[in-house]
Amino acid sequence: MKVLVLSDIHANLEALDAVLEDAGACDETWFLGDAVGYGPDPEACVDRLLELAPRHWLAGNHDWAALGRLDVSDFNPDARRAADWTGERLLGARREVLLACEPRADIPTLGITLVHGSPRHPVWEYILNAQVAHESFDAFATAICLFGHTHVPALYEQGLDGTLRLPVAPDEGQCPEEDARWLVNPGGVGQPRDGDPRASYMLLDTATRTFTLRRVTYDIERTQAKILDAGLPPRLAARLTYGW
Ligand code: ZN
């Protein structure tokens, strides 16, 4: 089975459409959360996801913020402004489907756990360093955990003796079965933060247990123009140029 793994779309329709075209036909889509927030196309991006009908569709902190499910006092002013603006636009069926999402899904038949942030704090925690990654391995039981939230592609490996290998982000690889466990981040579709502005996503073949991390160029200027036209903070447009 060919699985399209997406995370952190952030209402960036141009990036999402570029990814879907690049990926081609897939058997299933797994989405790790943050469909909206920051970007100018929350309605259209939720509609795209409804068309894709992800087998697993997780909630992210920005989804919950826009829905009023989360206290946004920790958000920076730009993110808060975007959450308010987004919340006003999510009505009816789009709101309902986001309200039904949870930030974690376990797929024991495949030995895979999905979370937005981290397995111990699925909504909020960022896995950005070895210490947090090391502790996170205790919070899931499967061989692999896919996570998002940081918008940075990453792979942490834990040996059976509990030792941790520092993050590496190979473009492709073979998932562990008996000899190691993995925490893997496919990167962000709509707001990459690793210095590479291209949209990031992952293809996973569950039969061969191989994965491919892919990057795709998209029409950044068009997204930026929409952000400015919507009256969203200009910084949210500027950062897309740098992937930061
Ligand atoms: Zn995000």
Side-chain angles (χ1 to χ4, degrees), residues 8-10 33-34 36 38 61-62 116 149-151 191 193:
D8 297 282
I9 293 168
H10 284 293
D34 278 358
V36 301
Y38 297 127
N61 55 317
H62 286 266
H116 179 65
H149 195 39
T150 65
H151 308 196
Q191 194 198 75
R193 292 183 191 161

Side-chain angles (χ1 to χ4, degrees), residues 3 11 19 67 181 188 191 234 238 243:
V3 181
V19 163
L67 297 168
R181 300 171 70 213
Q191 194 198 75

Side-chain angles (χ1 to χ4, degrees), residues 64-85:
W64 278 11
L67 297 168
R69 272 188 85 172
L70 201 68
D71 176 14
V72 294
S73 54
D74 281 356
F75 275 31
N76 67 54
D78 288 349
R80 218 178 308 154
R81 163 94 183 93
D84 291 342
W85 182 90

Side-chain angles (χ1 to χ4, degrees), residues 191-202:
Q191 194 198 75
R193 292 183 191 161
D194 61 341
D196 181 342
R198 294 176 298 167
S200 183
Y201 75 101
M202 186 170 110

Side-chain angles (χ1 to χ4, degrees), residues 133-203:
H134 188 64
E135 292 163 10
S136 295
F137 277 103
D138 291 337
F140 67 99
T142 52
I144 299 167
C145 177
L146 305 180
F147 69 102
H149 195 39
T150 65
H151 308 196
V152 176
L155 193 165
Y156 297 89
E157 181 174 292
Q158 185 193 52
L160 289 187
D161 60 356
T163 54
L164 184 78
R165 269 186 50 200
L166 290 175
V168 287
D171 294 337
E172 54 188 31
Q174 181 84 33
C175 299
E177 299 210 38
E178 308 280 300
D179 53 334
R181 300 171 70 213
W182 275 5
L183 276 159
V184 190
N185 191 316
V189 171
Q191 194 198 75
R193 292 183 191 161
D194 61 341
D196 181 342
R198 294 176 298 167
S200 183
Y201 75 101
M202 186 170 110
L203 291 171

